[in-house]
Amino acid sequence: MAAKSRQRILSGMRPSGRLHLGHMHGVLDNWRQLQNQFECFFFVADWHALTTNYDRPWTIPASIDDMVLDWLAAGIDPQKATIFVQSDIKEHAELNLLLSMITPVSWLERNPTYKEQQQQLKERDLATFGFLGYPVLQAADIIMYKANKVPVGVDQLPHVELTREITRRFNYLYRDVFPVPEAMLTEVPKLPGLDGRKMSKSYGNSIYLNDSEEDVARRISTMVTDVERPRKSDPGDPANRCVAFNLHRLYMEKSRLAEIEADCKAARIGCVVCKKELARAVNSAMEPLRERRREFAADPGTVKRILAEGAEKAREVARNTMEEVRQVLFAGPAGSGGKNDAGDKE
Ligand code: TRP
Ligand code: SF4
């Protein structure tokens, strides 16, 4: 397929420091496949991180590097995808400003994510202009690259919907500059944390992509198993009652998985041994990640260089988009052949 006709994909993550297996299976596996098929832009949304961390912005730069190293370890390939940091491309701020002029406040206030997050992060004052405008900046991120598809988790759907509305409004008011992007829903396999709750950094129940073999073995050994099976002689019900078994499903060979299930049900296998075997399987799946991390981390300048190159590619697209946008907005009816040529028709 000719490069030009390829669909363009854009997605981003806020820099939250090191990533865990939930990110791996939820997002990064998906990105890694997409980069082979589409023209991909993957970026670090560090300005978005400011909306909730404005009281300690100095913690953000280290988180960026840690996260990008995890991306690279997970197989996101700078030869295939453009990897960059939002704040390196100042055009995002300009487009954000222009879009903010045409976005009704009511659209932002009714955004469910906005209300939820304000509830959840009660200890922080999120009644800021920047936080309310979070989805406008996200719209700028997306349409800057004229992305067709935005792979995201279900929690991000309201944001992408707002992007679509803002895009339509822009195209209607001025000219048909931007494709209306579509969300591409990322399937998240059920991957609970060590304690059975959702895997999340804030619960301290995660297995991290940069965990050593020993870390992984130790964490898995603490994983919750079938609570109705305190002794090895009690028959288990792994599929319904064992948290660890969710990892077995992802990491064990099919045939071995069936054996474990049968052995557990028949009380032929104990949890300690069973989880040791699981840890070995997880560790061997993580070995290629560790190998890539070692390569990328060997030279501390590597991540910086990759981000600089990515920024250059992204900037070229962003500059072109902004030239077009300024032209459409400000060159006036004669110059732009804009929508409201007659000036006072509407
Ligand atoms: N809001 C996204 C998140 O929290 C991050 C993000 C910012 C994003 N801009 C984006 C995702 C553009 C996709 C496209 O995960
Ligand atoms: Fe879970 Fe394995 Fe224990 Fe069965 S034996 S409850 S599958 S850890």
Side-chain angles (χ1 to χ4, degrees), residues 228-236 264-271:
E228 290 173 45
R229 202 189 165 214
R231 282 172 304 268
K232 185 183 157 186
S233 53
D234 301 319
C264 178
K265 282 181 168 161
R268 279 194 298 259
I269 183 176
C271 293

Side-chain angles (χ1 to χ4, degrees), residues 88-102:
D88 281 339
I89 314 295
K90 307 302 179 199
E91 283 80 358
H92 288 230
E94 184 181 359
L95 188 54
N96 171 58
L97 178 118
L98 295 175
L99 296 180
S100 78
M101 301 300 166
I102 66 169

